[in-house]
Amino acid sequence: QGRTEQLIAVDAWGLKVRDRIELGEDLHVAHVVIAGQRALVTAYDADAVLVVDLDGLAVERSIPLPSGTSPHGARLTPDGATLVVAGMGDGSLHLVGVADGTVTSYDLPGRAVQAAVLPDATAVFASVYDTRQVARMDLQSRELVLFDLPAGAAGPVQIYPTPDSRHLWVADQGLVDDDPAGESLYRLDVITGAVDLVAAVSAGTHGVVVNGDGTRVWTTTLAEGTVQSVDAATGPVL
């Protein structure tokens, strides 16, 4: 508390800090998404999304979210028009208009950790930790459905779609509220929610991304402090 938080730009080639942008105090900034020459940053304790001018190196404006949202993960739609935000505080999913700051909110049955957007822009998702579910919203109809994870799931956190928009990978981390660590990556069918592949990984699987051609899934593991590469077709750790 009482410390100024920053958005730090790192030169990806030289691996040196290029810029530091002061965001404010006591925000608990969580995730950052790049939208052209702006960065969209979720501020957990401020119930807001900060819009940061990357050219001017300053906060341009703040988009307020409902009180108690405690925004965490966020993902941008392919057209850059809508930021999908997962609310950990009140259990919610928010669609935020980047241009005008409009916020449309939807209730979920538990804390939402991360959001995902299909590359074909047909649907968005949120991991629901408390109920061991994944929420799916059709972007056209705004219909919201819940997919159950397998029995024994420890608690989903990060999620990531495949490039062909057919599957969603879910990191079953656990470890929140003294829950045991999960050791599985689940692959879900984005239409039916069926889990059609389970990859056994090290304990506390957290971050998850899929490579550009959809052949590899990468995950970080909290318990062991490793990064693991998984065969996306059959599931073994490579």
Side-chain angles (χ1 to χ4, degrees), residues 8-19 34:
I8 301 173
V10 178
D11 185 318
W13 295 102
L15 300 181
K16 296 181 179 179
V17 173
R18 189 185 67 193
D19 295 303
I34 303 300

Side-chain angles (χ1 to χ4, degrees), residues 165-216:
S165 295
R166 294 179 57 190
H167 292 98
L168 185 77
W169 283 90
V170 180
D172 188 38
Q173 173 191 292
L175 296 176
V176 177
D177 300 330
D178 296 322
D179 290 331
E183 299 179 348
S184 299
L185 288 176
Y186 299 123
R187 191 180 72 180
L188 274 65
D189 182 293
V190 300
I191 302 299
T192 67
V195 174
D196 57 13
L197 184 63
V198 180
V201 293
S202 294
T205 173
H206 177 74
V208 58
V209 295
V210 182
N211 69 349
D213 62 7
T215 59
R216 297 287 183 268

Side-chain angles (χ1 to χ4, degrees), residues 84 93 114-118 123-127 134-136 147 159 168 190:
V84 185
L93 177 67
Q114 180 58 287
V117 181
L118 291 185
V124 300
F125 299 82
S127 55
V134 172
R136 180 190 190 274
F147 299 144
I159 54 179
L168 185 77
V190 300

Side-chain angles (χ1 to χ4, degrees), residues 17-51:
V17 173
R18 189 185 67 193
D19 295 303
R20 293 179 180 271
I21 304 172
E22 293 191 355
L23 302 178
E25 294 183 358
D26 301 331
L27 300 171
H28 188 171
V29 292
H31 280 248
V32 57
V33 176
I34 303 300
Q37 292 306 306
R38 289 176 172 80
L40 307 172
V41 182
T42 54
Y44 186 94
D45 288 344
D47 290 329
V49 173
L50 307 180
V51 181

Side-chain angles (χ1 to χ4, degrees), residues 106-188:
Y106 302 87
D107 292 333
L108 296 175
R111 290 169 290 182
V113 180
Q114 180 58 287
V117 181
L118 291 185
D120 66 8
T122 57
V124 300
F125 299 82
S127 55
V128 187
Y129 185 90
D130 302 297
T131 56
R132 279 47 170 175
Q133 292 175 310
V134 172
R136 180 190 190 274
M137 174 174 285
D138 184 291
L139 275 180
Q140 183 172 6
S141 69
R142 300 295 172 91
E143 179 186 8
L144 183 68
V145 296
L146 295 168
F147 299 144
D148 295 329
L149 294 178
V157 287
Q158 306 294 325
I159 54 179
Y160 204 92
T162 55
D164 60 8
S165 295
R166 294 179 57 190
H167 292 98
L168 185 77
W169 283 90
V170 180
D172 188 38
Q173 173 191 292
L175 296 176
V176 177
D177 300 330
D178 296 322
D179 290 331
E183 299 179 348
S184 299
L185 288 176
Y186 299 123
R187 191 180 72 180
L188 274 65

